[in-house]
Every structure is written in structure tokens, then in C-alpha cells.
Amino acid sequence: GQIVHLADYRPTDFVLERVDLTFELDPKNTKVEARLIFQRRESADRHAPLVLDGDELKLSSLLLDQVELPAAQYEATPDSLTIRDLPAESPFEICVTNYINPQVNTQLMGLYRTNGVYCTQCEAEGFRRITYFPDRPDVLAPYTVTIIAAKEGNPLLLSNGNFLGGGNYDEGRHFAAWFDPHPKPSYLFALVAGDLGVVEDTFTTMSGREVALKIYVEHGKEPRAAYAMDALKRSMKWDEERFGREYDLDIFMIVAVSDFNMGAMENKGLNVFNDKFVLADPETASDADYANIERIIAHEYFHNWTGNRITCRDWFQLCLKEGLTVYRDQEFSSDMRSRPVKRIADVRHLKSEQFPEDSGPLAHPPRPDTYREINNFYTTTVYEKGAEVTRMIATILGAEDFKKGMDLYFERHDGEAATVEDFVRSFADASGRDLSQFSLWYTEAGTPLVSVSSAYDAGKATFSLTLEQTTAPTPGQPVKQPRHIPLSLALILDNGQIAEPQAVEGGEYRDGVLHLTQRNQTFSFSGISSRPVLSINRSFSAPINLHFEQNAADLVQIARHETDMFARFQALTDLALPVLIAATKAVQKGEDVRTDADLIATLIEIIGDDALEPAFRAQALALPSETDIARELGGNTDPDAIHKARNATITAIATAGQDTLRRLADDAANGEAYSPDAGSAGRRSLRNGALTFLAFAEGTPERAAKAYAGATNMTDLAHALSVLTQRFPDSAETKEALAAFEKRFADNALVLDKWFSLQAAIPGEGALDRIKALMKSKHFIATNPNRVRSLVGTLAFSNPTGFHRADGAAYRFLAEQIIAIDKRNPQLAARILTSMRSWRSLEASRADHAKAALSTIAEAKGLSTDVSDIVGRILK
Ligand code: BAL
Ligand code: ZN
């Protein structure tokens, strides 16, 4: 793979006016005929050849305006087709015929087979594995698609757009034709054929059009698609109400498949989903599964406007559609569920995934300017940081101007392939605000560190706040410029009221938001009658690290009384992290772990406070994770010490808070019939959090075993099993529960994934042998991405002590696995390999082992561009 540069972007020489595809499906030998109408762009060179992309293709025939082209006029290789001497002025038709083999397509890019179903995945560059094509997102055209296939096994023949018609074709075969009037790039193409069950419904849009809704799943699984359908209808309604966006075809289809690299894909009118994010019922799906289904159904649907109607000019602009659409799905979930709890969960996720990416060798801006393999840029930075950047625009502009900016963006760019600059310009023009400095968030990588100091002058009734921002260098960006950082803040007075300053000097402060724009800046707030407690970066208004030596009493006050629930959660975290760090250091020195009394008292008070939302209390109870502690330590990480220290801290808190925890474990949500709504899920999460803590205080598996036996839904069942496996892996109760679980769910792939990942997450150096044994289990399927992620992915991403074994054996195992997986599925291999991105922050001997394992990968023969790009950057 060559390095691609944003600076090299230029439009195509030819405009694609229409696409007409005919597929004759066959598992091993599918015929693809593509009729493409092109016209040379006026500005293009009269002699420029037409160059089409391919990937592992073999040309079968090539016609120009229905006449076979002489061999001298073109050149076909597996990855390109170049045609010369094409008309200078008039439109012309190219007809390409080629044959592909879906059966052997294990990359799951292009046209492939999954459980007997034909299915496609084209983003980012999969369409070129189907036929020669200008496979880039700025080439938009309407598509007509005809699918011909054996009737047997393929009653369903689906593609994008509206159904035109179908019928018998020839002996044993039938056909269906689809027309998508909305010009789209090839990455949004989809085809599905096979024999599936369907759940049907309708949605009436705001202008009164009836849209047919269909969700296709394997026969027998239809009842498990009911929640997805409900989420779809709510998404459609919400996008009309909140963003004024109406659906634009007669039909919207979702197909659930079991082999899929990503979560889901927003193909126009025909979304294809990893079935993990469609199928749910109380017996087999957890509350987290339901929430993910709701979120991802919404996300893919929202792409219809942010991604499909307005798409990306080039792949550097990926965050234009992904960051914005994640922002939209976060807002949707916030409206459907609890806004503060959603914010807390999103920020936890951002800090545990994106912050490490942003501070390591894979750091890149949300809008990068080079790539070697675009598949490797479907990252948490493009998605989640992209969403944070969108959120900051909303914070800076305020709700009204943000809405005006969104409306202007839709109005200006509908039907276009746009850029991040177009997006930002819409907000600048709608609001009159200069967003040029703000745009650095898109082009610079790294998480800014904002250091805060404050002083209160009682005589002058003035509070002054000095802020300094720095961003560490990231690969390719040694020097960083100061950014525009919107910091929501409150000055909380003795009486709990939020101070209204008479005046603020030193920079912009409006509606509770301080605009930090310089490297060093001092703001002075006058008319502050008593020393205030500063609550800063409320709601996590900016994705930054904050350095502020705030005293424990102030943190306790925020944790107890802030009206911003995120700030309360953050204050608790700020109380807990130093305690956990001190505990880690104590473990390393062989000393006793001491747990701070303020932390214990505040935490127990909060989790026992029935006036607070249970889901919030559950978030408070779930202390910073081992990964959070490692990040806070910032280097020389010893995962075993962190694990021991965190467990000792939990034991101390749980022992002190036993009465409260028992009340929570016994009371909340008991006897409640299962419903996936946020309120019920929150009650379960608090009860289950209490169960986890009590296992530490009590030190025996009895309570968890009893919870397992009495569980009436997957949330409680899987949680009880996770307490058993995490805390008492060798107990008879755990072995019994695991065996019962396996037996009960032996024919449910998604639940078996849970069974695998629960075991792969068991801490300690025994993890590796356990995982090797599980890979020999009859249930292990190496070709199924979900299964591989549940075992190898869980070890690498979610089992710090198991993965970072001091002897490096798990790194060597990962290297072998990556090399093996890469041969089948490079995208999957590259994704799992990113688990090694923080290897340099490990203590020296582990880092040596990690480096050696990475070098083995780097030296392996025949690596994909995906893996070679990641390993190269990680080692650099
Ligand atoms: N476009 C890839 C899947 C998603 O982000 O929706
Ligand atoms: Zn997306």
C-alpha cells in the first residue's frame, strides 16, 4: 500500500452519470456486469485515460458503447483497469464483465457468503473487489441493480433503493431489479440474497409518506428483532423532530448477518448489521446489548442524512460523517435514556479508548492528512473524538446557532461529497463566529492538558483563574498550537448557589462557558461574595486532561452537591484516583494498602442515596478501571500491582459499606419483570454492582451462585457469572455455572460469545492456557469475527493481568494469532493488534517482551497492508 496524501486530492477526470449492475449469483462463480455511463469533465485533459480501481479482479470482457474494445486500448491488472482514447465530449458507456468467488472471500470485504447468505461490505474500498470502478466517495451516481439467482436458497434478492420488479428468469432462476434514485458513492452499495425470515412494520414520515420497514434475520429469530424494529421507528421519529430529517425512499431494510467485521453498515436503504446488534430478547441479551442495539440502529439510520445524502469528498473526511453521526446517536440515546448517565458512560469510554490512542504511536487527528490503509482509520479518534469536536461546536455556538448551522449544512451540501471545512463553514456562516482556531481540533492530534490554578481575593470579591494549555507532540506533529477550548464552569458558593459574576475579564465567558484560546490565560471574576468551589469542565465540555490540585473537601462538596451530575461523577473519580495510585505504589513496595476515609464515606453515601438515579449510583460504584489507573500512572506500568491495589481498595470500601450494599443487592429491582428501559436497567446495574462489591467483602461465591441460580434474565445471569469467574474462577460453583450456561445456550452463537469472553477475561497468568484450551472447544469458529474477538480480543483488550503476563507469553501468543488471522481477515487482525498500542508505557521487562513479539509480526512474510501499517506505526 502506497501512502495517500490529502494534499494530493483532485477530482476525477470523468463524471459518472449512471450505474447499471447485473449480478448472476453463484457461490463460487458470480458474474458481474457493470454498465457505466461516463462523461469527460470539461476541465479535464482531452487525452486523460479512464482509470478504474480493482482488487483481486480478472477482466472477462470490456465494451465501449456496446462494441468490444481492442486490447491495445486498455490495460487490465488485478487492481486497475486503464482505458485510453475515450470520447472527449459525448457521454459513453463502458461495460465491464468479470467473475468473482464469494465463497472464498474470507476478508468479508466485497461480496461474500455468511451462513449461506450472499452479503456485501463495501466501505471503505470493498466495491473494487466486486467490479472495476471509480471506487472513491466523491463519485456519486444513481444505481440500477438486477440480481439473478437460483430460486432455491435465494427467495430474497435485495439491493439499495426502491424495488422495481422481478420474476422468473430461466430454468430454476429468478431475478429482482432495484433502483436507487439518490446518487451515491460505491461504498454505500449493498446486495443481499438468500433465505431469511422477516419482521415488517411501517413508518409514516412527517410529510405523510408511508415507508415499509423490514428487518431480515435467520428463520426462527424473528421475535428477537422486535426491539431493533422499535428502536428504528424511534430513530426515524427523533431525526424528524430534532434535526428535521425525513426518510427518502419507500422502503428501509436491515439485514442481520453473523459474519461481519464491523458493528453495522449504513448502505443506502439496506443496512447490513452484525447480528449482535439486532437480535435481543430478555433471556439472551443483556441491558448493555439492548442499549447497543438502540444506539447502532439509530447510528446507521442517521447516516442516511449524515453520510449518505451528504457524503465525504475523500476518506480523510471520514469524521465528517462518523463524528457527526456518533454525536447524533449520543444525543438520541441521551433523549431516550438518562442524559447524565449517558454522558458519564461516553466519557468513560472516550478516556479508556481514545485518550490512550491519542497519546500513543497510533495518534492521529480526527481529520488525518495521510494514510496507508484507510481501514485502519475507523478509529475511536475519528468516531468518538469526532463526536466530541461536534459537541464542542454545539457548546460554543449554543443550541440555537448550532441548529441554524446544521440546517445550513443540510441545505448547502445535500447531494454532495463534502469536507470538514464545508461543515465548519456552515456553522461559522450561520452564527457569525470565527471558527478558524477551533478547526485545529480537526487537524491536530493529541489531548490537550489544561493546568488550572486559582486564587480568591476576599477584599476585592474577585476570583481569578489561571489556565495553561499544552499538547504533547504526536507522530508527525512535533509542535502544537493553542486551541480554542470551551470550558463549562460553575463557581459554587457556600450556600450551594452558583455565583453570577458581575464581570469577567481576561477572555470570553458566556452562558457559563469560558473560552480558553491562548496558551496562558488568566480570567478574573468579580462580584464573588465568598470563596467559591470551582467546578470546571462540567459535562466534560472539552475532551482534555485537566491538572488541578483541588483539595479533598472541595471535591467532596462537588461530589455531593453539584447540579451537573457529570461533575459529581468526575469529583468522585478525582477522589478515587489518587487513592488507587497510592495503593498501587504501596503494593509495589510490599506495604499495606490504605483506603482514604473521605472516599469511602462519600462513595457509600452516594450509592445509598435513594434520591439519586440508580444508574448514576452504579457508575459511581464502578471505580476507575485498571486501565484508567494505568493511564493515570502514565508509564512504567505493572498491571499485576494495579490489579491487586484496586481489589484491595474495593475490599476496603465493600467491607465498610456492607450494610448499604446488602440493602442494594437485596432490594433494588427484585421481583421486577424484565423490561429493557433505562430505568429498569439502571436498577439492575446498581444491584449487580453491589453484588460485585459484596463478593469482595464476603470472600465466598455463595451470594453470586445464588444470584446465578435465581436470575431470570441475561443481564443478571451474565453478571452473576462474571462475579463467579472473576472472583472465584476455581470454585465448584463457578465450574458448575459455566457448564450449565454452555449447555443451556449451546445453539445460540451470540450467547456463546459471552461464555467465551467471560472466561477469557478471568484475571491472572492462567488466562493464556485457558484461552488456548477454549480455542480447541467445539464451539470455537476461527472464521467468525465475533468469536475471535470474544476470545483473542477479550484477552488483549480486557484482561490486563492475563495479557501483560510478566513472562511475555501472551504477547507471543497474540503475535501468532495476528499472523494467522491476517491470512484470512486482515481488518480483524489489524484491529486486534491495536491492543498493543500502549506497549511503551509498560515497565521495562514487559516492554521488551512486547517489542520482541511485535517484531515477530513485523518480520512475518506476506503481511497485509492493514497489519503491516499498524505494526509499523506501533514500533516506530
Ligand atoms: N460506516 C461504517 C459503519 C458505521 O460507522 O456506521
Ligand atoms: Zn458510522
Side-chain angles (χ1 to χ4, degrees):
Q2 300 279 318
I3 294 182
V4 187
H5 297 271
L6 170 59
D8 293 342
Y9 173 83
R10 60 180 202 91
T12 53
D13 290 325
F14 295 87
V15 176
L16 179 61
E17 297 186 340
R18 254 189 10 243
V19 177
D20 188 342
L21 303 171
T22 304
F23 289 85
E24 288 188 45
L25 295 175
D26 179 274
K28 294 194 186 119
N29 194 33
T30 288
K31 180 179 177 190
V32 186
E33 187 186 272
R35 292 175 184 276
L36 312 174
I37 311 271
F38 286 104
Q39 172 139 25
R40 195 179 293 269
R41 205 181 284 280
E42 268 179 37
S43 55
D45 178 347
R46 297 175 62 83
H47 303 291
L50 173 65
V51 184
L52 303 179
D53 304 298
D55 182 3
E56 297 188 309
L57 293 183
K58 191 162 172 285
L59 182 70
S60 180
S61 91
L62 178 60
L63 312 181
L64 170 63
D65 290 328
Q66 307 189 22
V67 178
E68 200 171 321
L69 264 184
Q73 209 180 322
Y74 68 90
E75 185 188 358
T77 71
D79 52 19
S80 75
L81 172 60
T82 305
I83 310 173
R84 285 175 288 272
D85 305 327
L86 287 165
E89 270 142 31
S90 53
F92 56 89
E93 183 197 85
I94 293 289
C95 179
V96 174
T97 305
N98 63 287
Y99 290 81
I100 51 180
N101 185 346
Q103 192 82 53
V104 299
N105 184 353
T106 59
Q107 292 185 26
L108 314 186
M109 280 295 267
L111 178 67
Y112 65 94
R113 301 269 286 168
T114 164
N115 273 358
V117 173
Y118 294 91
C119 153
T120 54
Q121 170 58 37
C122 294
E123 186 174 3
E125 297 179 336
F127 194 78
R128 62 185 65 183
R129 296 173 55 74
I130 294 174
T131 187
Y132 290 106
F133 200 82
D135 190 17
R136 41 187 279 176
D138 62 344
V139 174
L140 282 70
Y143 282 53
T144 306
V145 177
T146 306
I147 309 167
I148 300 159
K151 286 182 197 167
E152 193 180 331
N154 305 291
L156 276 177
L157 306 172
L158 311 177
S159 192
N160 318 85
N162 296 321
F163 181 62
L164 285 180
N168 285 323
Y169 188 73
D170 57 13
E171 185 64 28
R173 295 201 295 178
H174 66 156
F175 77 99
W178 295 81
F179 175 62
D180 181 3
H182 300 284
K184 69 166 173 291
S186 51
Y187 82 86
L188 291 172
F189 167 80
L191 176 157
V192 172
D195 188 0
L196 294 166
V198 65
V199 177
E200 298 184 81
D201 208 325
T202 60
F203 178 80
T204 305
T205 69
M206 60 193 195
S207 70
R209 280 187 309 105
E210 191 174 284
V211 177
L213 308 179
K214 297 184 194 254
I215 301 185
Y216 295 96
V217 297
E218 280 172 21
H219 287 293
K221 295 184 177 170
E222 295 88 346
R224 287 164 65 197
Y227 184 76
M229 181 62 89
D230 179 57
L232 174 60
K233 289 193 288 181
R234 285 183 285 123
S235 305
M236 295 177 86
K237 182 112 191 95
W238 185 89
D239 211 17
E240 293 184 343
E241 288 171 353
R242 175 73 183 271
F243 284 90
R245 298 298 109 200
E246 186 176 359
Y247 187 63
D248 54 6
L249 288 166
D250 302 339
I251 180 167
F252 185 81
M253 297 175 281
I254 291 173
V255 180
V257 300
S258 48
D259 299 284
F260 205 66
N261 281 340
M262 306 200 232
M265 178 63 212
E266 70 265 25
N267 319 300
K268 183 78 186 190
L270 178 54
N271 291 357
V272 177
F273 269 63
N274 186 326
D275 59 2
K276 175 182 166 68
F277 298 120
V278 172
L279 300 173
D281 63 20
E283 197 199 344
T284 60
S286 67
D287 290 330
D289 293 326
Y290 277 97
N292 279 328
I293 290 169
E294 178 179 77
R295 169 175 74 84
I296 296 174
I297 292 272
H299 179 98
E300 306 311 330
Y301 175 72
F302 296 158
H303 268 314
N304 190 57
W305 275 92
T306 51
N308 302 5
R309 294 283 292 239
I310 306 181
T311 193
C312 300
R313 189 193 72 173
D314 53 67
W315 291 121
F316 297 103
Q317 320 296 330
L318 185 56
C319 82
L320 174 70
K321 72 178 177 81
E322 296 305 347
L324 174 56
T325 305
V326 172
Y327 170 76
R328 277 153 52 69
D329 82 55
Q330 289 176 347
E331 285 297 292
F332 171 73
S333 296
S334 301
D335 284 348
M336 295 295 125
R337 292 168 177 257
S338 156
R339 182 164 285 269
V341 172
K342 172 68 178 156
R343 188 65 187 140
I344 291 166
D346 286 344
V347 173
R348 286 189 99 139
H349 174 76
L350 183 82
K351 288 189 173 181
S352 74
E353 301 299 325
Q354 199 278 327
F355 278 29
E357 179 166 278
D358 225 358
S359 65
L362 300 181
H364 56 276
R367 208 278 297 279
D369 54 16
T370 61
Y371 62 76
R372 229 186 107 200
E373 175 51 70
I374 189 56
N375 290 336
N376 290 337
F377 281 82
Y378 287 74
T379 60
T380 176
T381 296
V382 166
Y383 277 67
E384 277 85 22
K385 189 173 182 178
E388 292 301 319
V389 177
T390 309
R391 185 172 297 281
M392 282 190 286
I393 298 179
T395 301
I396 290 172
L397 265 57
E400 205 176 304
D401 279 354
F402 180 76
K403 180 155 195 327
K404 279 192 209 153
M406 283 301 310
D407 288 345
L408 186 58
Y409 174 67
F410 289 125
E411 191 186 307
R412 273 188 187 165
H413 299 291
D414 186 13
E416 288 181 12
T419 61
V420 164
E421 282 78 2
D422 293 329
F423 182 64
V424 174
R425 198 176 307 113
S426 299
F427 292 104
D429 291 351
S431 68
R433 225 183 205 284
D434 180 355
L435 293 172
S436 46
Q437 183 187 12
F438 180 80
S439 297
L440 290 169
W441 281 102
Y442 284 107
T443 54
E444 287 200 353
T447 307
L449 171 66
V450 176
S451 303
V452 179
S453 61
S454 67
Y456 178 66
D457 184 331
K460 293 186 182 147
T462 298
F463 178 78
S464 68
L465 190 59
T466 298
L467 304 166
E468 181 187 15
Q469 57 163 308
T470 54
T471 304
T474 55
Q477 293 186 333
V479 182
K480 304 289 184 179
Q481 294 168 259
R483 295 195 204 164
H484 180 173
I485 301 177
L487 293 166
S488 169
L489 66 78
L491 303 178
I492 303 165
L493 301 173
D494 287 347
N495 61 6
Q497 298 287 320
I498 293 176
E500 285 289 344
Q502 277 164 7
V504 180
E505 285 170 24
E508 183 182 351
Y509 174 81
R510 246 206 295 169
D511 302 328
V513 178
L514 188 103
H515 296 259
L516 173 63
T517 54
Q518 296 162 24
R519 233 178 259 287
N520 292 284
Q521 207 166 351
T522 297
F523 293 82
S524 138
F525 299 75
S526 57
I528 309 297
S529 57
S530 62
R531 187 191 78 88
V533 170
L534 170 65
S535 178
I536 190 163
N537 209 18
R538 299 173 97 201
S539 298
F540 209 64
S541 60
I544 55 156
N545 281 305
L546 199 66
H547 179 79
F548 182 27
E549 306 245 326
Q550 197 158 25
N551 68 48
D554 285 4
L555 287 173
V556 169
Q557 195 190 329
I558 296 173
R560 288 193 169 139
H561 303 301
E562 240 282 34
T563 50
D564 180 295
M565 295 306 286
F566 176 81
R568 293 181 72 162
F569 169 80
Q570 184 61 51
L572 272 175
T573 304
D574 293 343
L575 281 168
L577 269 173
V579 173
L580 291 161
I581 299 284
T584 303
K585 292 187 172 150
V587 168
Q588 281 173 315
K589 286 191 221 143
E591 293 168 2
D592 284 348
V593 166
R594 282 208 300 273
T595 305
D596 179 74
D598 268 347
L599 172 65
I600 295 180
T602 311
L603 197 58
I604 307 251
E605 180 193 308
I606 285 175
I607 62 159
D609 183 351
D610 291 336
L612 295 171
E613 204 180 344
F616 172 81
R617 291 146 71 193
Q619 283 285 0
L621 188 57
L623 292 180
S625 69
E626 291 171 30
T627 321
D628 294 331
I629 301 166
R631 192 180 61 252
E632 189 71 13
L633 276 163
N636 198 20
T637 311
D638 173 354
D640 292 321
I642 293 173
H643 181 71
K644 280 203 191 96
R646 186 171 180 273
N647 282 1
T649 306
I650 293 177
T651 305
I653 296 168
T655 307
Q658 282 186 67
D659 293 346
T660 303
L661 290 164
R662 289 216 179 88
R663 174 173 73 79
L664 296 175
D666 293 341
D667 286 2
N670 266 351
E672 188 180 335
Y674 185 86
S675 152
D677 70 90
S680 316
R683 288 188 286 280
R684 277 186 292 276
S685 66
L686 182 57
R687 182 177 60 175
N688 283 326
L691 184 69
T692 300
F693 269 58
L694 286 169
F696 283 85
E698 294 167 350
T700 66
E702 267 117 52
R703 184 183 289 272
K706 198 164 151 238
Y708 184 85
T712 56
N713 58 70
M714 180 52 76
T715 304
D716 293 339
L717 192 74
H719 185 82
L721 190 53
S722 88
V723 175
L724 287 170
T725 49
Q726 287 279 309
R727 295 299 302 151
F728 314 103
D730 302 319
S731 72
E733 286 88 343
T734 302
K735 286 179 184 144
E736 214 172 283
L738 278 170
F741 194 93
E742 179 189 5
K743 189 156 170 247
R744 177 168 164 196
F745 298 108
D747 61 356
N748 186 316
L750 298 175
V751 185
L752 282 177
D753 288 338
K754 296 184 199 298
W755 182 78
F756 278 108
S757 68
L758 281 165
Q759 296 177 82
I762 296 175
E765 63 176 14
L768 183 56
D769 287 340
R770 198 173 290 116
I771 285 162
K772 285 181 176 167
L774 284 166
M775 287 181 78
K776 298 206 176 91
S777 141
K778 64 174 189 246
H779 302 302
F780 186 71
I781 308 165
T783 53
N784 177 250
N786 287 352
R787 194 56 51 86
V788 173
R789 281 186 283 255
S790 72
L791 213 43
V792 186
T794 299
L795 172 70
F797 286 107
S798 311
N799 188 343
T801 53
F803 187 47
H804 301 288
R805 267 169 71 135
D807 65 1
Y811 304 145
R812 292 189 286 279
F813 168 77
L814 188 80
E816 283 164 24
Q817 290 303 313
I818 295 298
I819 293 166
I821 298 167
D822 191 37
K823 295 200 184 345
R824 294 188 294 274
N825 188 333
Q827 264 183 60
L828 179 63
R831 176 56 63 100
I832 296 177
L833 179 58
T834 63
S835 60
M836 295 290 279
R837 67 189 170 202
S838 300
W839 70 273
R840 277 183 214 275
S841 56
L842 295 163
E843 54 77 28
S845 119
R846 284 180 173 87
D848 285 345
H849 287 306
K851 188 175 183 182
L854 286 164
S855 305
T856 315
I857 300 175
E859 287 155 18
K861 290 211 170 39
L863 282 187
S864 65
T865 314
D866 307 59
V867 166
S868 116
D869 171 48
I870 296 284
V871 76
R873 285 192 281 146
I874 290 186
L875 275 173
K876 202 163 168 186

